[in-house]
Amino acid sequence: MLLGCLLGLASCINTVERAPGGLLQRSQQDPALSGNGKMLAVIVDQRGRPTVQLRDLQNGKILPLRHFSRHQPHSSPSLSWNGRYLAAITQRGDRRLTIIEDRLTGRVHPLPLPGGRAPVRLSLAPDARQLALQVAYQGHWRIEVFDLSQILEPDPSSRLRRSISSTEMGS
Amino acid sequence: MKDLQLPSLPTGLMPLLLCFGLAACGREVMRPMQDLNSSLLQSASSRREPAFGRRWLASLSNYQGREKIELLDLRSRRPVPLPGLNRPDSHPISVSVSANGERLALVRQRGDQTELLLYQRSLGTVQRLELSAKGIPRKVSLDGFGRLLAVQVSRDGRWDVDLIRLSS
């Protein structure tokens, strides 16, 4: 009986920890986990410039990024399932622009919005097949979804697919 | 000197040619998902803070001046019910969804309290999550399994990111 109560209590307890580097960085904002929970992207202040930083949560190490050392300020990072793709909003001249870095190939994909519009927030689908952008439209916020299947290879989540087959909820 | 005249093109061919031209110049073009975007535009007066799950899109959507958390099933393109989540006395700030759409993490303002919450859709339960050290939550990101949560927290005059391992 007592053991049962203790197990029940333990199952409701969540463990809280500070993200690696939190005590060393001046600030960390805009967290984005990879789908598999192994990587964390944040926006850190690097010499006054908001810059995206990627960290391996298993060993705490900062992972190298080829295409996010300039074009600050960066905002709204988002990762695919395995962290192969990192998307974020950057600044090119006077224009806000979504770019996606493929960490496997080292390629960068600049993705300008038609009509010269500026993205404000973004979310990359776990398999990297779609991108949702928040934009301003006639004085209101609007979300537009784009198909990336002709641009990026999918970042599959095979382990999830197995678990989902038995647990995914219907609408 | 004769004016140069472009031949008239069938409707719908121009965007195709434009896409082809840009691709030929090395520019990649994102294709808008027109049907989905039309339904997103028509179903709410404004919509912000997109967050993808595997076949889900969570957002903060404004209906008749009131903002609420909405979870869209991308297959049916319809919102699914979230009983017990949206309260008239609260204002959502940030939302994130697990890959299977079962768990939603959120930050909301209720009175003078900023709450960090976990919603479980199959149970219809809202669980308040506590931070280890006092702070005000601002943005959330949930991993695909719904077991790890990253939270941006205002604490001692700076922004931190806390990680919360959630019980399964």
Side-chain angles (χ1 to χ4, degrees), chain A residues 23-158:
Chain A
L23 295 173
L24 304 175
Q25 298 285 352
R26 190 164 178 270
S27 92
Q28 294 188 100
Q29 299 185 58
D30 251 353
L33 288 164
S34 59
N36 63 12
K38 292 181 179 175
M39 288 174 212
L40 174 70
V42 291
I43 301 293
V44 299
D45 189 345
Q46 279 188 351
R47 296 184 296 278
R49 297 185 300 176
T51 305
V52 70
Q53 183 183 79
L54 184 63
R55 200 175 282 270
D56 184 332
L57 290 177
Q58 293 175 310
N59 57 24
K61 288 185 179 169
I62 294 174
L63 297 166
L65 294 169
R66 293 178 63 172
H67 302 282
F68 285 100
S69 57
R70 46 200 190 116
H71 302 305
Q72 288 95 342
H74 303 158
S75 63
S76 198
S78 186
L79 288 159
S80 59
W81 184 264
N82 298 294
R84 173 176 174 175
Y85 299 106
L86 170 61
I89 300 169
T90 62
Q91 184 86 22
R92 296 273 177 103
D94 58 357
R95 192 168 180 199
R96 299 294 285 162
L97 179 73
T98 299
I99 68 168
I100 298 179
E101 176 168 332
D102 182 345
R103 298 180 50 254
L104 188 66
T105 65
R107 277 194 69 191
V108 65
H109 302 269
L111 300 171
L113 260 172
R117 295 173 300 151
V120 176
R121 304 279 306 163
L122 66 77
S123 179
L124 184 64
D127 62 2
R129 293 278 185 166
Q130 294 161 336
L131 179 73
L133 295 177
Q134 177 186 331
V135 295
Y137 177 73
Q138 295 182 347
H140 295 281
W141 294 122
R142 171 179 175 179
I143 291 174
E144 293 183 22
V145 181
F146 294 86
D147 179 6
L148 302 181
S149 61
Q150 303 298 311
I151 300 174
L152 305 179
E153 291 178 344
D155 190 10
S157 49
S158 52

